[in-house]
Amino acid sequence: MEATTESAKGQLNQPLLQKSSSDCLVIKQKTAEDEDQQQQQFQLKTRVWIETKKLWHIVGPSIFSRLASYSMNIVTQAFAGHLGEVELASISIANNVIVGFNFGLLLGMASALETLCGQAFGAKKYNLLGIYMQRSWIVLSICCILLLPFYMYATPVLKVLGQPDDVAEQSGLVALWFLPMHFSFAFQCPLQRFLQSQLKTGVLVWVSSVAFVIHVIISWIFVHQLQLGVVGAAIALDISWWVLVLGMLGYTVWGGCPQTWTGFSIQAFSGLWDFTRLSASAGVMLCLENWYYRILILMTGNLKNATIALDALSVCMAINGWEMMIPLAFFAATGVRVANELGAGNGKAAKFATKVSVVQSTFIGIFIAVLVLLLQNQMAYIFSSSPLVIQAVNNFSYLLAFTILLNSVQPVLSGVAVGSGWQAWVAYVNLTCYYLIGIPMGIVLGWVMDLGVQGIWGGMIFGGTAVQTGILAIITIHRDWDKEAENARMNIRKLSLPASDSLA
């Protein structure tokens, strides 16, 4: 009887033991899953931190060097502004319109080096970087010669565009004195990208700092002490840009880049046609972006009674110009990081670098956009004391904030395109979005619907920049990054020297 009772108890306890064993198994599985999730989160945080350090190793110095270069132009305009209204207008037009037009093209053409040097450095084909840079010097120097008519005939062109005779003649004179600076771009832009592609960014900070200090000193000497006027201001800017060139060149040639600079080579003249085609497509891609906002100012100037609106827009564009140094630094850094990883055959790492860069640049853009909205009643006082201009700037603050936010994403995606070598088809995207959608929409909203400068600006931002950003985002998300890495390898093979083909 007792045995029967014990047997019954065992049968009753058996389901309980099975259930307890099952619960323990579930708990163990859940614990293992939690540990795996924690491990993945830890690995993600580690990857983000490592990528952030690599990214900001380029972004930080790039922001500083770009701000220093931009500030040299501001200093020149400030010295010219104390000479008189005509002098200020002539320096502004010559520097922002004539030089700006040509610099945009040359800067864009030099961005081909971000693709080629970045991918070659990632693939450890170090000897190719110096050859690529020399090819870029050759191509950009020829382009500088072809662009000379813009300087030589600046006066009649400006008169045709409606500038007053005295301003047009003075601007033409200043443009001729800017020719030394014009030719410095053919060397400065490739040198900067050559150094960035191999993460030699510290030298950019030092060279930019020295050039800025020298510029302030010699501007004061030439303008005030030697009484050379607006010509002295132009000469000072010429010298300062060549200081940038000589500083980076000296670092490169005298041992700063032992792996990537092996001296001047006749081999730089080989493969120029393929190099020129990539440079031209890169130049067109960035030029279409660079000229877009200059067209905004030009269109605003043709509105009736546009003096106040134009002054307010100039203030907004000045603020936007200062802030743009940050996303432009992300543009350069993203191009280098993507190119390095693709050159090394790491497609997924290039995709991850893109995500980190977009997120960080966007957060910075949100912060600055919010700051603009909070300080909309104060920021205009930096540039003007006119109540009408200040009120107009306040009215534009929401458009300015949205422009800043949008520009925190768009340059990063353009950097991805440069790092991947997509310049040719992105040029078509820019042409379509900016000039076939954005500008017509701005004209319709500004003139047809009589919304003035807000209509022009809003149409160009929402119809052009926003659409272009959306298209680039969709394309970037849906790219096969492993295939992009293979394309980078093929690109290196194609543009490598015959002696290097066996190493590819």
Side-chain angles (χ1 to χ4, degrees):
M1 184 69 179
E2 292 179 359
T4 305
T5 304
E6 290 296 331
S7 176
K9 289 181 178 180
Q11 291 176 355
L12 290 172
N13 290 333
Q14 188 173 3
L16 295 175
L17 291 173
Q18 290 176 349
K19 183 177 180 181
S20 176
S21 177
S22 176
D23 289 343
C24 289
L25 182 61
V26 170
I27 292 172
K28 288 181 179 179
Q29 290 176 345
K30 186 176 181 181
T31 302
E33 290 176 358
D34 290 342
E35 290 178 354
D36 289 341
Q37 187 175 4
Q38 291 176 357
Q39 183 67 22
Q40 290 176 0
Q41 290 177 349
F42 176 77
Q43 291 177 350
L44 178 60
K45 291 179 180 178
T46 303
R47 290 180 64 198
V48 170
W49 175 243
I50 292 173
E51 180 58 39
T52 298
K53 289 194 294 184
K54 292 179 180 179
L55 185 69
W56 279 90
H57 186 69
I58 307 170
V59 171
S62 182
I63 291 175
F64 185 90
S65 62
R66 289 173 185 274
L67 283 173
S69 300
Y70 189 83
S71 298
M72 289 195 302
N73 294 328
I74 299 298
V75 168
T76 299
Q77 289 184 244
F79 274 100
H82 290 284
L83 296 173
E85 295 180 357
V86 174
E87 287 79 3
L88 175 60
S90 63
I91 281 284
S92 299
I93 292 173
N95 200 13
N96 294 323
V97 178
I98 300 169
V99 175
F101 174 87
N102 295 285
F103 178 71
L105 178 60
L106 296 169
L107 181 68
M109 294 182 69
S111 71
L113 284 184
E114 293 181 15
T115 305
L116 300 176
C117 287
Q119 292 179 359
F121 187 78
K124 298 183 180 180
K125 309 282 186 166
Y126 301 126
N127 63 308
L128 293 180
L129 273 72
I131 301 299
Y132 288 154
M133 181 172 66
Q134 292 175 60
R135 287 179 186 173
S136 187
W137 286 345
I138 295 169
V139 172
L140 265 65
S141 295
I142 294 173
C143 188
C144 282
I145 295 173
L146 296 176
L147 292 173
L148 285 178
F150 284 96
Y151 293 83
M152 297 174 64
Y153 300 103
T155 296
V157 170
L158 291 172
K159 288 182 178 180
V160 170
L161 292 176
Q163 294 296 325
D165 289 346
D166 55 348
V167 173
E169 290 174 2
Q170 185 80 283
S171 299
L173 174 64
V174 172
L176 292 176
W177 281 101
F178 274 152
L179 281 175
M181 180 173 65
H182 170 67
F183 280 97
S184 75
F185 299 151
F187 300 92
Q188 187 267 344
C189 296
L191 276 164
Q192 186 180 40
R193 275 137 192 82
F194 168 80
L195 293 170
Q196 283 180 344
S197 296
Q198 52 190 306
L199 308 182
K200 302 280 188 179
T201 52
V203 63
L204 300 178
V205 174
W206 288 105
V207 171
S208 300
S209 301
V210 171
F212 178 75
V213 172
I214 289 175
H215 180 66
V216 173
I217 294 173
I218 61 177
S219 293
W220 176 75
I221 293 173
F222 287 168
V223 175
H224 290 293
Q225 298 301 307
L226 300 181
Q227 299 292 315
L228 295 179
V230 70
V231 171
I235 295 174
L237 197 57
D238 292 336
I239 295 173
S240 302
W241 275 91
W242 275 103
V243 168
L244 287 173
V245 173
L246 296 176
M248 289 186 286
L249 182 62
Y251 175 84
T252 300
V253 173
W254 292 326
C257 306
Q259 288 183 304
T260 55
W261 176 261
T262 56
F264 295 96
S265 174
I266 193 67
Q267 293 171 322
F269 291 91
S270 64
L272 280 177
W273 175 242
D274 288 332
F275 191 92
T276 301
R277 285 194 303 173
L278 180 61
S279 296
S281 60
V284 172
M285 169 190 159
L286 292 185
C287 262
L288 293 174
E289 297 180 8
N290 187 282
W291 298 338
Y292 194 51
Y293 291 103
R294 300 181 191 277
I295 292 175
L296 169 61
I297 296 176
L298 182 63
M299 291 172 64
T300 301
N302 288 321
L303 291 172
K304 293 182 179 179
N305 302 319
T307 303
I308 299 298
L310 189 59
D311 288 345
L313 183 62
S314 298
V315 170
C316 291
M317 288 298 103
I319 296 170
N320 186 59
W322 281 98
E323 190 277 335
M324 272 295 289
M325 298 302 106
I326 298 175
L328 285 177
F330 273 95
F331 163 82
T334 305
V336 171
R337 288 293 305 125
V338 169
N340 285 168
E341 297 296 348
L342 291 180
N346 301 325
K348 290 183 174 59
K351 182 179 180 180
F352 185 75
T354 299
K355 291 180 180 179
V356 172
S357 185
V358 168
V359 170
Q360 294 189 8
S361 181
T362 302
F363 273 120
I364 294 174
I366 292 172
F367 173 77
I368 297 177
V370 171
L371 200 63
V372 165
L373 294 177
L374 293 176
L375 299 177
Q376 58 178 307
N377 294 322
Q378 290 81 29
M379 63 182 181
Y381 285 102
I382 300 173
F383 301 91
S384 176
S385 57
S386 169
L388 294 177
V389 173
I390 292 171
Q391 182 58 46
V393 172
N394 292 344
N395 294 337
F396 295 161
S397 60
Y398 291 98
L399 275 173
L400 176 60
F402 185 78
T403 301
I404 289 172
L405 179 60
L406 203 57
N407 284 339
S408 68
V409 179
Q410 185 271 335
V412 179
L413 297 178
S414 293
V416 176
V418 168
S420 306
W422 306 340
Q423 291 95 327
W425 61 261
V426 173
Y428 290 109
V429 173
N430 290 351
L431 177 64
T432 301
C433 295
Y434 288 152
Y435 296 89
L436 300 183
I437 299 176
I439 291 179
M441 185 176 290
I443 292 173
V444 170
L445 294 177
W447 276 283
V448 178
M449 299 187 67
D450 199 26
L451 295 178
V453 65
Q454 289 180 315
I456 298 173
W457 190 356
M460 294 178 69
I461 289 296
F462 291 100
T465 308
V467 174
Q468 185 250 22
T469 303
I471 292 175
L472 289 184
I474 293 171
I475 292 173
T476 301
I477 291 171
H478 290 90
R479 298 303 286 187
D480 184 341
W481 287 95
D482 290 331
K483 186 177 180 180
E484 292 298 326
E486 180 60 28
N487 290 339
R489 185 174 180 83
M490 293 174 61
N491 192 42
I492 294 171
R493 282 180 177 272
K494 183 178 180 180
L495 290 173
S496 293
L497 303 173
S500 303
D501 288 343
S502 60
L503 301 175

